[in-house]
Amino acid sequence: MTDPAQLLESSPLAGALLALRVFAGGAAWLWLWPAALAAPAERWRRIVCAGGLAAATGLAGLLLPLTVLSSWGLMAPWTFNAVSLAVPVTGIIFALVFRSPELRPRARAALPAAAAAMALFSVALLLPHRGENLMGGQDPGLYPAQGMQLLATGGRESPEPLLTRLTAEEREAFLSHELGYPALLPVVPLRGDAITGPGYFFPLTPVWIALCGHDAGLSGAVRSAHFTALLSLLLMAGMIAANRGSGAFALAAVALLATQPIWIYHWNVPTSEMLDLCLMLGIGLVLDHRTASRPLAVLNGLLFMAAVLNRLAFLPFGGCLMALCAWRDLGDPDRRRVLFSRAAQAAGLAAGAGHDWFHHGEAIQWLGGTPSILWKL
């Protein structure tokens, strides 16, 4: 008898389920954000801002808990569904507790974007096979492999099967010591025992790939960049709309982004760049309103944290953003809100960097050693 989960994996409906996970969690929290951002007067702007906010909130709400679970080896198939339910249910409970009248209207405003994403994610699964990524290049092959290994092991480290079958002398044929530590060719770092391979890349994209793999199998894992690329178009439109740009400007920005050669290239490559773009656009979407409410400042901090967990290279850019925000806020009379917003940003950067340091030290070591990390980036 066919397993229903396997049946769903082979169906384009798996793409719709993945989009539903993202948007359901985000839409349930839209009531919390300031009306000027989440519910502007113009209909097109309200739809685009609500959709972009739902996508940014949903990505952070899903991926951050799953990343923490995976880092402690606690991720399991049921945790994907548990987190996917906990995020929207918690948002709805808080809305009811605080008797917010905005829960339904703002969630309805996000429906068009959610429906479009569900349809487009499903279409993405019907595109030609992307299996060549598993064999081609270092990053395009290793990211899906790390994500699917994460899905299989739940984040628990296990010996590389090939290396356990070899003697210590035979292993040397597959190892390199040029970087100062044992590495499985080409440069996948290993523990001192030269058998156990920890996660090679920083965790957020592998967790996203694991989530795609959980819903749509290997087909979804190698198309993970398709999904984030589609979200980036919505987030670009949302960022323009949130910063008072016109509809024509938002449309032109989306068209310009979708025709950029680097965007088209990364559409085809399951690596971290598209998720990185989504997080930075999400930060841009909320940045101008960051001092309007403390909950929004917290969301801003969480997006900072997610960006560092995705790529440590965001750390210096995050610091630059903080400096620009400090300059922008010099004339703001509400210093408490400004300080809270800055503290949330700093806490996000610190938490992301601390997590990377503690759980992914090998990835930092690969960058060239702590004293020269920023130069290497």
Side-chain angles (χ1 to χ4, degrees), residues 272-291:
S272 64
E273 283 78 4
M274 278 300 187
L275 182 55
D276 202 42
L277 176 61
C278 285
L279 295 170
M280 287 193 289
L281 289 172
I283 289 169
L285 198 161
V286 305
L287 204 59
D288 197 44
H289 301 263
R290 67 196 174 280
T291 59

Side-chain angles (χ1 to χ4, degrees), residues 157-196:
E157 292 181 3
S158 57
E160 293 290 337
L162 169 67
L163 297 178
T164 57
R165 297 189 181 98
L166 303 176
T167 65
E169 188 176 14
E170 291 169 335
R171 272 183 226 129
E172 289 303 314
F174 298 91
L175 299 180
S176 165
H177 297 274
E178 292 181 8
L179 299 173
Y181 56 90
L184 183 63
L185 297 174
V187 285
V188 181
L190 299 172
R191 299 289 188 203
D193 59 10
I195 296 177
T196 306

